[in-house]
């Protein structure tokens, strides 16, 4: 049965859900308050990471394989593969970081996913871009890579038009009626549908104030790095780096496919208003703090300089789990990315499309999306 379905939000979650719904034969309309892609959304950046190492979160480690297959279906539709393989190097120095590595090892072993544990001496020999003196141990996986996020969102939004999906840019939704699957736009028009999906990112608590008790907008700063002379080419073939030190939680993205090397701090700020703090340029001290945290695990870290920096808004939960659940018989909430949602977007979109048409799948989806 063909349904008329409204999707609120044109970030990666909303667009992937619209893609899956359209492929299932539904009539889909997407509304976003800004341009599409929206530069203030959490989806629009040069890159995002795809990985299997997930600490003790076995549900998300398993979901990574499901997501990989979903990405393959999307690449076929888009006519371009926008995942650059890099491999994954995880390091740890502090005790809580070493626990994260140990938990990752246990989960990977249970799933039969190949990996290698590394000593500092092995890290120094195989990955000289990392300061082996700053870490106690490492974990290397051949799997993992860099998703070209900005290009994905751009191509996907155009592809939806070919699927018959209508994407309404600069069409802010100001109110949600979950029971009637209806939205009100800023121009006071009301749009009804058979089903409604709210994937509004950091703006969700403004549309659904009742979610504010567990969903928190979080302003995040990322730093784009200039590697030392002669090392950009070396970094372009290096693995992504995730340092699990509890103090920094830093990740480094290699400059693949012409992108810029990037570093970020996985700690969530849990502050900020996406409507009033839209300046894309962070305070220089914030950017330097991320740079300094990355320098701690890079060999000759003092030689890396700041190329530029940017801000975006995540939506996070206390346990970093995703929330995909019904708000009514006709309305679904899709949140929060918690900083690691991009890699799972097509799998979550397909799962939600299945749930809208299958009550049995609908009852299972909230726990599955939460990684349980």
């Amino acid at each position: 049965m063909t349904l008329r379905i409204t999707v609120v939000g044109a970030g990666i979650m909303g667009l992937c859900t619209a893609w899956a719904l359209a492929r299932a034969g539904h009539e889909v309309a997407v509304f976003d308050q800004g341009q599409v892609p929206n530069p203030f959304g959490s989806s629009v950046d040069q890159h995002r990471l795809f990985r299997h190492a997930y600490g003790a979160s076995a549900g998300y480690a398993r979901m990574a394989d499901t997501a990989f297959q979903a990405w393959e279906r999307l690449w076929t539709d888009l006519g371009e593969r926008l995942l650059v393989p890099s491999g994954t190097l995880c390091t740890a120095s502090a005790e809580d970081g070493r626990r994260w590595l140990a938990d990752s090892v246990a989960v990977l072993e249970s799933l039969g996913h190949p990996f290698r544990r590394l000593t500092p001496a092995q890290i120094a020999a195989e990955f000289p871009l990392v300061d082996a003196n700053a870490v106690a141990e490492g974990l290397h996986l051949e799997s993992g890579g860099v998703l070209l996020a900005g290009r994905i969102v751009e191509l996907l939004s155009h592809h939806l038009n070919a699927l018959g999906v209508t994407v309404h840019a600069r069409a802010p939704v100001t109110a949600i009626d979950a029971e009637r699957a209806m939205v009100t736009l800023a121009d006071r028009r009301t749009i009804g549908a058979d089903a409604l999906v709210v994937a509004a990112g950091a703006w969700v608590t403004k549309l659904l104030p009742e979610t504010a008790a567990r969903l928190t907008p979080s302003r995040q700063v990322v730093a784009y790095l200039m590697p030392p002379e002669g090392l950009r080419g070396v970094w372009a073939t290096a693995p992504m780096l995730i340092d699990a030190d509890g103090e920094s939680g830093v990740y480094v993205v290699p400059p693949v496919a012409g992108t810029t090397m990037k570093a970020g701090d996985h700690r969530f700020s849990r502050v900020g208003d996406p409507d009033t703090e839209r300046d894309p340029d962070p305070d220089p001290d914030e950017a330097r703090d991320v740079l300094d945290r990355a320098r701690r695990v890079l060999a000759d870290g003092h030689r890396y300089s700041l190329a530029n920096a940017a801000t975006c808004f995540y939506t996070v939960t206390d346990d970093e789990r995703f929330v995909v659940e019904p708000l009514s018989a006709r309305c679904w909430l899709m949140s929060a990315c918690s900083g690691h949602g991009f890699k799972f977007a097509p799998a979550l979109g397909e799962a939600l499309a299945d749930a809208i048409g299958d009550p049995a799948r609908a009852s299972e989806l909230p726990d599955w999306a939460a990684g349980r």
Side-chain angles (χ1 to χ4, degrees):
M1 180 176 63
T2 298
L3 300 176
R4 292 181 303 113
I5 302 177
T6 297
V7 177
V8 179
I12 191 63
M13 292 295 180
L15 293 178
C16 280
T17 302
W19 165 72
L21 289 166
R23 291 176 96 238
H26 299 300
E27 180 183 328
V28 186
V30 180
F31 292 85
D32 196 274
Q33 65 177 333
Q35 65 191 63
V36 179
N38 185 343
F40 297 105
S42 63
S43 304
V44 182
D45 190 9
Q46 293 183 38
H47 22 45
R48 288 288 185 265
L49 295 176
F50 185 93
R51 59 185 167 92
H52 285 86
Y54 249 92
S57 299
Y60 290 128
R62 285 192 298 269
M63 195 186 293
D65 287 326
T66 303
F68 186 86
Q69 295 304 317
W71 281 115
E72 291 297 318
R73 288 186 284 276
L74 183 56
W75 304 146
T76 299
D77 282 11
L78 296 181
E80 187 173 351
R81 198 169 193 274
L82 297 170
L83 171 62
V84 181
S86 68
T88 307
L89 176 62
C90 304
T91 60
S93 52
E95 189 58 35
D96 53 355
R98 300 184 73 175
R99 284 195 298 272
W100 186 88
L101 284 191
D103 289 339
S104 295
V105 164
V107 169
L108 293 168
E109 283 182 333
S110 72
L111 298 177
H113 198 92
F115 63 88
R116 291 185 302 131
R117 301 190 78 162
L118 302 175
T119 65
Q122 290 171 315
I123 292 171
E126 296 185 43
F127 304 104
L129 293 170
V130 176
D131 183 359
N133 293 320
V135 300
E137 60 179 308
L139 175 66
H140 180 252
L141 297 85
E142 294 289 344
S143 66
V146 180
L147 290 158
L148 303 177
R151 179 71 173 152
I152 291 169
V153 173
E154 181 181 10
L155 275 187
L156 180 52
S157 62
H158 290 307
H159 176 66
L160 289 179
N161 292 323
L163 291 178
V165 174
T166 305
V167 179
H168 300 271
R170 298 185 178 88
V173 171
T174 58
I176 300 288
D177 185 333
E179 294 298 328
R180 295 193 292 171
M182 182 178 293
V183 299
T184 301
L185 304 182
D187 62 9
R188 299 186 180 181
R189 283 184 297 153
T190 57
I191 308 294
D194 298 311
L196 171 62
V197 176
V198 183
W203 290 268
V204 67
T205 58
K206 295 176 180 287
L207 290 174
L208 298 168
E210 64 272 24
T211 66
R214 54 184 173 141
L215 304 180
T216 305
S218 184
R219 179 179 175 275
Q220 302 297 128
V221 174
V222 294
Y224 297 92
L225 310 185
M226 185 71 68
E229 184 70 26
L231 289 187
R232 178 179 171 83
V234 179
W235 266 109
T237 59
M240 72 175 83
L241 173 63
I242 300 172
D243 180 62
D245 185 322
E247 182 184 353
S248 63
V250 73
Y251 60 88
V252 177
V253 186
V256 301
T259 62
T260 308
M261 183 178 178
K262 182 176 75 176
D265 184 351
H266 188 63
R267 297 176 305 170
F268 300 130
S269 73
R270 300 184 184 277
V271 298
D273 185 323
D275 283 326
T276 61
E277 298 180 52
R278 286 191 173 192
D279 185 353
D281 298 318
D283 183 283
D285 288 339
E286 293 179 295
R288 280 193 293 270
D289 180 61
V290 177
L291 170 63
D292 288 342
R293 292 179 182 278
R295 282 171 165 168
R296 296 178 188 177
V297 291
L298 299 177
D300 296 323
H302 65 281
R303 298 177 60 202
Y304 289 78
S305 58
L306 189 66
N308 64 329
T311 62
C312 71
F313 276 86
Y314 293 164
T315 313
V316 303
T317 56
D318 287 342
D319 56 7
E320 300 184 34
R321 296 183 185 274
F322 309 144
V323 177
V324 183
E325 63 187 33
L327 297 176
S328 73
R330 298 170 60 188
C331 180
W332 282 82
L333 168 66
M334 193 176 206
S335 188
C337 73
S338 283
H340 66 113
F342 195 105
K343 68 178 71 62
F344 297 116
L348 290 167
E350 288 183 337
L352 182 50
D354 288 344
I356 285 176
D358 183 346
R361 293 295 303 275
S363 65
E364 299 168 354
L365 180 53
D367 279 345
W368 179 80
R372 299 190 178 96

